Amino acid sequence: MNERVELLDKALILAGVQPQVAQQLRDLQVKTSLDSTNSALRRLPLEEQHATVVLAEHQSAGRGRLGRQWHSPFASNLYLSLGWRFEQPLSELGCLPLVVALATADALQRAGLDGHRVKWPNDILLDGRKLCGCLVEMQGDAQGPYQVVLGVGVNVNMPHEEAAGVIDQPWTDLQSRLPGLSRNSLAAMLVDELFGHIQSFAGQGFAPFKERWKQMDALIGKTISTQDGHDQIEGIALGVDDDGALLLDIGDKVLKLHSGEVSLNKTKI
Ligand code: BTN
């Protein structure tokens, strides 16, 4: 292993978190290896999940969206989950994945990155390649409260040879743009931004984030495709509405996508 590898360190992360966030943190756990930080958080008693952060150096069963696996080699990247209890009904939480993506994007900006973009609903791209993914898992009654686990994976220094055979989409990491970035510092910034963004969202909904999404949107004005059953739908992305739905101009009408996945149609950009 590289001698200069910096392991995650609870004390260093806590020292980097803003005091008002540190005060609200219930617990911050750093584990050597877990199946998945989202699963580990979910196994805690319900009353211990809110405002608890779980990080791991390695995940043996890291989960991505839509049943995918999240490649999680040891001491290379960030795998972080935060538990949160929302009093709102489910119908008001649809934008949460977008808010988590913006929190992650803003933490990366604080770390010195620029040029990264958010791709609906909650990927972060750098140079058109996937840099981070977010997995928001919710449980509760439709009318609320909702116990939510917000999971974020950031590719910091992915071992290339190993990843090449495992990750099935264009990806990148922070190594070439922010060499030597401390994962502990980045973890602290991510905790700060997640707390800040989620508290604004819980109080004010998506409205304060709409303009920021527009600035960071990787898709707006571009031709994109999505799968609808057996059919492929193509259209121009118009941005998101107040509920976080993606607006897709398909010529004769504008569709609202509430979930799913879209891909950029490179030949038409
Ligand atoms: C995606 O883009 O498909 C979402 C990836 C989310 C990965 C993170 S890593 C930390 C947390 N634990 C998991 O098992 N998944 C999320």
Side-chain angles (χ1 to χ4, degrees):
M1 191 194 298
N2 182 342
E3 280 171 26
R4 290 166 60 202
V5 75
E6 176 210 34
L7 292 179
L8 294 174
D9 180 322
K10 176 174 175 170
L12 278 181
I13 297 171
L14 286 176
V17 167
Q18 287 172 1
Q20 71 272 22
V21 171
Q23 271 172 12
Q24 297 170 59
L25 253 178
R26 178 189 170 92
D27 190 16
L28 184 139
Q29 305 181 1
V30 176
K31 304 288 183 189
T32 303
S33 184
L34 286 171
D35 50 354
S36 148
T37 54
N38 271 30
S39 303
L41 221 153
R42 188 56 90 206
R43 286 193 292 267
L44 294 174
L46 266 190
E47 63 280 9
E48 291 178 21
Q49 293 181 16
H50 178 75
T52 290
V53 170
V54 176
L55 287 130
E57 289 287 14
H58 165 258
Q59 298 185 119
S60 57
R63 293 202 301 280
R65 290 179 65 240
L66 307 171
R68 296 203 182 97
Q69 69 148 322
W70 187 256
H71 184 52
S72 309
F74 181 75
S76 308
N77 302 316
L78 272 191
Y79 320 117
L80 179 151
S81 298
L82 166 65
W84 206 265
R85 179 186 153 104
F86 289 90
E87 301 305 324
Q88 289 94 326
L90 182 61
S91 56
E92 291 178 24
L93 297 179
C95 295
L96 192 52
L98 286 70
V99 173
V100 175
L102 283 179
T104 307
D106 288 345
L108 290 166
Q109 184 167 320
R110 265 180 69 189
L113 190 68
D114 60 20
H116 53 301
R117 292 286 175 265
V118 289
K119 174 178 172 268
W120 185 90
N122 57 3
D123 287 348
I124 296 189
L125 305 183
L126 181 63
D127 302 327
R129 297 171 164 268
K130 186 154 170 169
L131 175 67
C132 310
C134 310
L135 181 66
V136 174
E137 297 181 311
M138 310 200 193
Q139 127 182 337
D141 294 328
Q143 293 315 308
Y146 254 79
Q147 205 69 43
V148 180
V149 176
L150 313 162
V152 179
V154 183
N155 295 336
V156 179
N157 189 8
M158 183 73 89
H160 278 238
E161 314 69 45
E162 195 192 317
V166 185
I167 306 180
D168 62 355
Q169 55 186 315
W171 61 273
T172 189
D173 63 15
L174 291 172
Q175 186 51 26
S176 62
R177 297 286 294 274
L178 300 175
L181 173 69
S182 156
R183 287 184 306 137
N184 287 305
S185 305
L186 183 61
M189 290 182 231
L190 187 52
V191 171
D192 275 351
E193 297 299 326
L194 283 170
F195 266 74
H197 283 61
I198 285 162
Q199 283 170 327
S200 299
F201 174 72
Q204 301 167 68
F206 189 59
F209 300 102
K210 223 178 146 190
E211 191 52 38
R212 181 68 176 147
W213 184 274
K214 199 170 166 187
Q215 288 169 0
M216 297 295 286
D217 192 344
L219 303 179
I220 200 158
K222 300 205 169 135
T223 302
I224 61 171
S225 308
T226 187
Q227 205 68 30
D228 180 22
H230 293 299
D231 299 329
Q232 172 125 340
I233 304 177
E234 204 175 86
I236 309 227
L238 301 179
V240 298
D241 70 5
D242 291 346
D243 298 322
L246 178 66
L247 301 173
L248 186 61
D249 180 352
I250 57 167
D252 53 343
K253 59 182 172 184
V254 174
L255 296 181
K256 285 185 179 191
L257 305 185
H258 292 278
S259 62
E261 193 164 58
V262 296
S263 51
L264 270 163
N265 189 336
K266 296 236 172 353
T267 57
K268 299 197 178 171
I269 294 172

